[in-house]
Amino acid sequence: MNNNNQHYKDCIIEPFYLMANILTIEEFIGFLKGNTIKYAMRAPFKGESDKDVEKYIYYSSLLREIIIWKKEMAENPHSTVSLEDVLDEFKHRRGED
C-alpha cells in the first residue's frame, strides 16, 4: 500500500513507527482492526473499491502479523523481536522499504 504514499516516507518518522512507539500493543491492534473494518465496509460504496480492498488486505495482513507476534512474545517473553522489527519485515516483504 505505501509504495504510492511517498508523503509517509517524507515524514520525520513514519506514522506506523510513531504509533508503535507511543501506543500500547492493544491500542495499535485496535487501530489496525478499525482500519480493517473501515476499508471492508466502505469498499462497495466509495467508487474506488479496488483501492479499499487493497487497503483492507494490507491492514488485515498486518493485523495478523501483529497478533502472531504478540502471541509469540507471550510464549517467549525473552524474545528480542520488537514491534518495529515486525513492521520492518512486513514492509520488506511487500517491497515498501
Side-chain angles (χ1 to χ4, degrees):
M1 181 180 83
N2 281 341
N3 284 340
N4 299 320
N5 293 330
Q6 184 62 40
H7 54 278
Y8 289 128
K9 293 181 180 177
D10 291 340
C11 294
I12 293 171
I13 182 172
E14 288 187 53
F16 272 147
Y17 292 97
L18 179 60
M19 288 185 281
N21 281 287
I22 65 172
L23 299 177
T24 66
I25 189 60
E26 291 80 14
E27 291 170 332
F28 191 65
I29 287 172
F31 161 77
L32 296 173
K33 284 180 180 179
N35 273 353
T36 299
I37 292 166
K38 173 179 70 174
Y39 289 116
M41 290 186 70
R42 80 179 196 180
F45 306 108
K46 194 162 182 248
E48 296 181 344
S49 62
D50 56 331
K51 289 181 182 179
D52 284 333
V53 169
E54 183 179 322
K55 290 177 181 180
Y56 164 80
I57 293 168
Y58 182 89
Y59 284 106
S60 62
S61 297
L62 181 55
L63 175 61
R64 181 179 181 276
E65 295 284 325
I66 301 301
I67 289 171
I68 290 169
W69 170 79
K70 183 181 174 194
K71 182 178 184 237
E72 289 172 355
M73 292 300 293
E75 293 170 355
N76 183 9
H78 301 294
S79 173
T80 60
V81 178
S82 69
L83 180 54
E84 291 85 359
D85 294 335
V86 176
L87 293 173
D88 286 343
E89 177 59 27
F90 181 79
K91 290 177 64 166
H92 177 72
R93 283 196 318 269
R94 295 182 52 85
E96 296 179 23
D97 46 9

